[in-house]
Amino acid sequence: MLTVLIAEDDPAMRHILRKTLSQIPGVEVLGEAGDGITALKMMEELNPRVIFIDIDLPGKNGVELAREICDINPQTILIFATAYPDYTHEAFEVYAYDYLVKPFKLDRIKKTMERIKQHEEQRAPVPVKEFTPPVAARTTPARLVIRQDENLVFLDTQDIILITREDRKTVILTREEKLNTTESLNSIEERLPGNNFFRSHRAYIVNLNMVREIRPWGKNSYQITFSGTKQKALLASNKARELEKILALPGS
């Protein structure tokens, strides 16, 4: 079941969205919020897979809400449904799956949800481009020191798969374990050695040596899969172009 939360201050629009979504098989609306603060609380309580977000929300606007959601669970699928066409850049910076401008056709919502369902049901990702780091990107193993509460943890960077944000904490996923730290992604990124690591998204740093493949995901972004884990990361479109240049791929 594809679970949905609606963050919209207009009761009539909430009704339309709920009615439209309820007609799609395999989709369940968990709740509705009329302001950004309530929407954030409901997101943490209900953990929906998809959130429809209006830009002009009282208490906390849609872009601010999306950024906080990204800091809690960046894998949440965000769909902006708004009367404001000028916030697409900010929306896709926080990995919006789609951006619907009011008044939009209800069929567009159904098509977007069906596309999400197809992506969710895919068991094996379809390769788009093989991102194989060049020899120059393979540096000798180095150590990264991470502060974890009162302890210092020493990690071999070659064992790190990705670094992301979960529940407002930084999470480091390695070949063998998952570590939490209060350090920011920016702080860790500055200390990572060599050029094996790439900031693919505001909420992700990935080890290029661990990348298996990259495929389109949503309207303006990509999804990264890795060897040795089912965990996925996000790649913004502007970062994809930057990565192609770094890896000197044909046509980049």
Side-chain angles (χ1 to χ4, degrees), residues 70 106 110 155 197 226 244:
C70 188
L106 299 183
K110 294 178 181 178
L155 299 174
F197 292 90
F226 301 89
E244 287 178 356

Side-chain angles (χ1 to χ4, degrees), residues 132-140 142 157 189 191-199 205-211 242-243 245-248:
T132 304
V135 175
R138 302 176 185 275
T139 59
T140 55
T157 56
E189 183 181 19
R191 306 201 310 273
L192 288 169
N195 54 357
N196 288 351
F197 292 90
F198 181 74
R199 186 72 174 265
I205 301 172
V206 302
N207 184 346
L208 296 178
N209 287 330
M210 295 291 189
V211 173
E242 182 182 336
L243 183 56
K245 292 179 180 179
I246 291 174
L247 302 180

Side-chain angles (χ1 to χ4, degrees), residues 87-103:
Y87 285 84
T88 54
H89 177 72
E90 291 86 347
F92 288 118
E93 271 192 342
V94 288
Y95 174 62
Y97 187 91
D98 205 348
Y99 194 99
L100 311 179
V101 179
K102 302 173 185 176

Side-chain angles (χ1 to χ4, degrees), residues 87-148:
Y87 285 84
T88 54
H89 177 72
E90 291 86 347
F92 288 118
E93 271 192 342
V94 288
Y95 174 62
Y97 187 91
D98 205 348
Y99 194 99
L100 311 179
V101 179
K102 302 173 185 176
F104 44 76
K105 295 182 179 180
L106 299 183
D107 283 346
R108 173 69 184 278
I109 296 176
K110 294 178 181 178
K111 289 179 180 179
T112 296
M113 296 303 292
E114 290 297 335
R115 192 166 68 246
I116 293 173
K117 287 170 61 179
Q118 289 175 5
H119 284 154
E120 295 285 280
E121 291 167 1
Q122 284 180 342
R123 295 187 178 183
V126 179
V128 176
K129 294 179 179 178
E130 292 294 335
F131 282 74
T132 304
V135 175
R138 302 176 185 275
T139 59
T140 55
R143 303 276 274 178
L144 177 68
V145 183
I146 297 295
R147 184 173 295 280
Q148 191 176 46

